[in-house]
mmCIF file of all heavy atoms in Angstrom:
data_model
loop_
_atom_site.group_PDB
_atom_site.id
_atom_site.type_symbol
_atom_site.label_atom_id
_atom_site.label_comp_id
_atom_site.label_asym_id
_atom_site.label_seq_id
_atom_site.Cartn_x
_atom_site.Cartn_y
_atom_site.Cartn_z
ATOM 1 N N SER Q 104 -19.358 -13.421 6.524
ATOM 2 C CA SER Q 104 -19.783 -14.825 6.329
ATOM 3 C C SER Q 104 -21.030 -14.954 5.453
ATOM 4 O O SER Q 104 -21.246 -16.000 4.850
ATOM 5 C CB SER Q 104 -20.033 -15.496 7.678
ATOM 6 O OG SER Q 104 -21.082 -14.855 8.374
ATOM 7 N N ALA Q 105 -21.833 -13.898 5.404
ATOM 8 C CA ALA Q 105 -23.085 -13.964 4.622
ATOM 9 C C ALA Q 105 -23.201 -12.691 3.804
ATOM 10 O O ALA Q 105 -24.075 -11.852 4.033
ATOM 11 C CB ALA Q 105 -24.274 -14.117 5.541
ATOM 12 N N ARG Q 106 -22.319 -12.520 2.827
ATOM 13 C CA ARG Q 106 -22.254 -11.311 2.046
ATOM 14 C C ARG Q 106 -23.581 -11.069 1.320
ATOM 15 O O ARG Q 106 -24.108 -11.960 0.639
ATOM 16 C CB ARG Q 106 -21.093 -11.414 1.025
ATOM 17 C CG ARG Q 106 -20.854 -10.112 0.256
ATOM 18 C CD ARG Q 106 -19.614 -10.213 -0.609
ATOM 19 N NE ARG Q 106 -19.406 -9.020 -1.374
ATOM 20 C CZ ARG Q 106 -18.793 -7.929 -0.912
ATOM 21 N NH1 ARG Q 106 -18.345 -7.909 0.333
ATOM 22 N NH2 ARG Q 106 -18.634 -6.874 -1.665
ATOM 23 N N GLY Q 107 -24.066 -9.860 1.439
ATOM 24 C CA GLY Q 107 -25.304 -9.475 0.770
ATOM 25 C C GLY Q 107 -26.564 -9.768 1.527
ATOM 26 O O GLY Q 107 -27.656 -9.443 1.074
ATOM 27 N N GLN Q 108 -26.444 -10.380 2.710
ATOM 28 C CA GLN Q 108 -27.641 -10.683 3.520
ATOM 29 C C GLN Q 108 -27.652 -9.757 4.749
ATOM 30 O O GLN Q 108 -26.637 -9.610 5.434
ATOM 31 C CB GLN Q 108 -27.585 -12.157 3.991
ATOM 32 C CG GLN Q 108 -27.692 -13.158 2.860
ATOM 33 C CD GLN Q 108 -27.684 -14.566 3.388
ATOM 34 O OE1 GLN Q 108 -28.002 -14.807 4.550
ATOM 35 N NE2 GLN Q 108 -27.342 -15.536 2.530
ATOM 36 N N LYS Q 109 -28.808 -9.177 5.007
ATOM 37 C CA LYS Q 109 -28.931 -8.280 6.135
ATOM 38 C C LYS Q 109 -28.923 -9.067 7.427
ATOM 39 O O LYS Q 109 -29.701 -10.023 7.599
ATOM 40 C CB LYS Q 109 -30.203 -7.454 6.009
ATOM 41 C CG LYS Q 109 -30.360 -6.420 7.122
ATOM 42 C CD LYS Q 109 -31.432 -5.414 6.824
ATOM 43 C CE LYS Q 109 -32.820 -5.994 7.026
ATOM 44 N NZ LYS Q 109 -33.870 -4.944 6.948
ATOM 45 N N PRO Q 110 -28.080 -8.687 8.400
ATOM 46 C CA PRO Q 110 -28.054 -9.381 9.680
ATOM 47 C C PRO Q 110 -29.377 -9.201 10.429
ATOM 48 O O PRO Q 110 -29.931 -8.110 10.476
ATOM 49 C CB PRO Q 110 -26.892 -8.727 10.446
ATOM 50 C CG PRO Q 110 -26.084 -8.029 9.387
ATOM 51 C CD PRO Q 110 -27.058 -7.652 8.309
ATOM 52 N N LEU Q 111 -29.865 -10.245 11.042
ATOM 53 C CA LEU Q 111 -31.021 -10.180 11.890
ATOM 54 C C LEU Q 111 -30.538 -10.199 13.346
ATOM 55 O O LEU Q 111 -30.429 -11.251 13.975
ATOM 56 C CB LEU Q 111 -31.984 -11.341 11.620
ATOM 57 C CG LEU Q 111 -32.528 -11.408 10.190
ATOM 58 C CD1 LEU Q 111 -33.386 -12.642 9.979
ATOM 59 C CD2 LEU Q 111 -33.318 -10.122 9.869
ATOM 60 N N MET Q 112 -30.213 -9.041 13.848
ATOM 61 C CA MET Q 112 -29.591 -8.914 15.154
ATOM 62 C C MET Q 112 -30.367 -7.956 16.036
ATOM 63 O O MET Q 112 -30.936 -6.981 15.546
ATOM 64 C CB MET Q 112 -28.140 -8.418 15.008
ATOM 65 C CG MET Q 112 -27.206 -9.332 14.285
ATOM 66 S SD MET Q 112 -25.578 -8.550 14.001
ATOM 67 C CE MET Q 112 -25.094 -8.135 15.686
ATOM 68 N N ASP Q 113 -30.343 -8.243 17.326
ATOM 69 C CA ASP Q 113 -30.933 -7.299 18.284
ATOM 70 C C ASP Q 113 -29.928 -6.170 18.572
ATOM 71 O O ASP Q 113 -28.769 -6.275 18.223
ATOM 72 C CB ASP Q 113 -31.252 -8.029 19.611
ATOM 73 C CG ASP Q 113 -32.290 -9.120 19.408
ATOM 74 O OD1 ASP Q 113 -33.184 -8.933 18.552
ATOM 75 O OD2 ASP Q 113 -32.218 -10.137 20.128
ATOM 76 N N ASP Q 114 -30.428 -5.128 19.178
ATOM 77 C CA ASP Q 114 -29.576 -4.034 19.650
ATOM 78 C C ASP Q 114 -29.078 -3.098 18.562
ATOM 79 O O ASP Q 114 -28.359 -2.144 18.879
ATOM 80 C CB ASP Q 114 -28.357 -4.559 20.450
ATOM 81 C CG ASP Q 114 -28.776 -5.427 21.629
ATOM 82 O OD1 ASP Q 114 -29.802 -5.124 22.259
ATOM 83 O OD2 ASP Q 114 -28.062 -6.393 21.897
ATOM 84 N N LEU Q 115 -29.404 -3.332 17.310
ATOM 85 C CA LEU Q 115 -28.880 -2.452 16.253
ATOM 86 C C LEU Q 115 -29.603 -1.106 16.231
ATOM 87 O O LEU Q 115 -29.001 -0.087 15.849
ATOM 88 C CB LEU Q 115 -29.002 -3.105 14.888
ATOM 89 C CG LEU Q 115 -28.156 -4.387 14.677
ATOM 90 C CD1 LEU Q 115 -28.272 -4.824 13.219
ATOM 91 C CD2 LEU Q 115 -26.702 -4.145 15.042
ATOM 92 N N GLU Q 116 -30.852 -1.068 16.603
ATOM 93 C CA GLU Q 116 -31.621 0.162 16.536
ATOM 94 C C GLU Q 116 -31.049 1.217 17.462
ATOM 95 O O GLU Q 116 -30.906 2.383 17.069
ATOM 96 C CB GLU Q 116 -33.099 -0.083 16.866
ATOM 97 C CG GLU Q 116 -33.970 1.155 16.626
ATOM 98 C CD GLU Q 116 -35.447 0.822 16.682
ATOM 99 O OE1 GLU Q 116 -35.810 -0.387 16.728
ATOM 100 O OE2 GLU Q 116 -36.246 1.776 16.656
ATOM 101 N N ASP Q 117 -30.697 0.826 18.681
ATOM 102 C CA ASP Q 117 -30.135 1.786 19.621
ATOM 103 C C ASP Q 117 -28.788 2.323 19.132
ATOM 104 O O ASP Q 117 -28.509 3.520 19.274
ATOM 105 C CB ASP Q 117 -29.953 1.147 21.004
ATOM 106 C CG ASP Q 117 -31.263 0.896 21.705
ATOM 107 O OD1 ASP Q 117 -32.268 1.549 21.326
ATOM 108 O OD2 ASP Q 117 -31.296 0.073 22.636
ATOM 109 N N ILE Q 118 -27.996 1.462 18.506
ATOM 110 C CA ILE Q 118 -26.719 1.918 17.983
ATOM 111 C C ILE Q 118 -26.914 2.844 16.794
ATOM 112 O O ILE Q 118 -26.261 3.897 16.696
ATOM 113 C CB ILE Q 118 -25.857 0.688 17.552
ATOM 114 C CG1 ILE Q 118 -25.537 -0.158 18.791
ATOM 115 C CG2 ILE Q 118 -24.598 1.127 16.852
ATOM 116 C CD1 ILE Q 118 -24.820 -1.455 18.460
ATOM 117 N N ALA Q 119 -27.838 2.491 15.910
ATOM 118 C CA ALA Q 119 -28.050 3.267 14.687
ATOM 119 C C ALA Q 119 -28.473 4.702 14.950
ATOM 120 O O ALA Q 119 -28.155 5.629 14.196
ATOM 121 C CB ALA Q 119 -29.075 2.572 13.792
ATOM 122 N N THR Q 120 -29.186 4.933 16.065
ATOM 123 C CA THR Q 120 -29.632 6.307 16.345
ATOM 124 C C THR Q 120 -28.457 7.226 16.588
ATOM 125 O O THR Q 120 -28.610 8.466 16.455
ATOM 126 C CB THR Q 120 -30.558 6.318 17.585
ATOM 127 O OG1 THR Q 120 -29.856 5.808 18.718
ATOM 128 C CG2 THR Q 120 -31.814 5.511 17.336
ATOM 129 N N HIS Q 121 -27.289 6.684 16.926
ATOM 130 C CA HIS Q 121 -26.120 7.523 17.201
ATOM 131 C C HIS Q 121 -25.212 7.662 15.963
ATOM 132 O O HIS Q 121 -24.217 8.377 16.027
ATOM 133 C CB HIS Q 121 -25.297 6.919 18.351
ATOM 134 C CG HIS Q 121 -26.060 6.820 19.652
ATOM 135 N ND1 HIS Q 121 -26.384 7.937 20.393
ATOM 136 C CD2 HIS Q 121 -26.580 5.762 20.283
ATOM 137 C CE1 HIS Q 121 -27.055 7.556 21.468
ATOM 138 N NE2 HIS Q 121 -27.180 6.234 21.444
#
Side-chain angles (χ1 to χ4, degrees):
S104 62
R106 186 173 178 84
Q108 296 181 22
K109 184 167 74 171
L111 300 176
M112 296 173 56
D113 297 328
D114 304 323
L115 295 186
E116 187 168 352
D117 288 341
I118 296 174
T120 60
H121 299 288

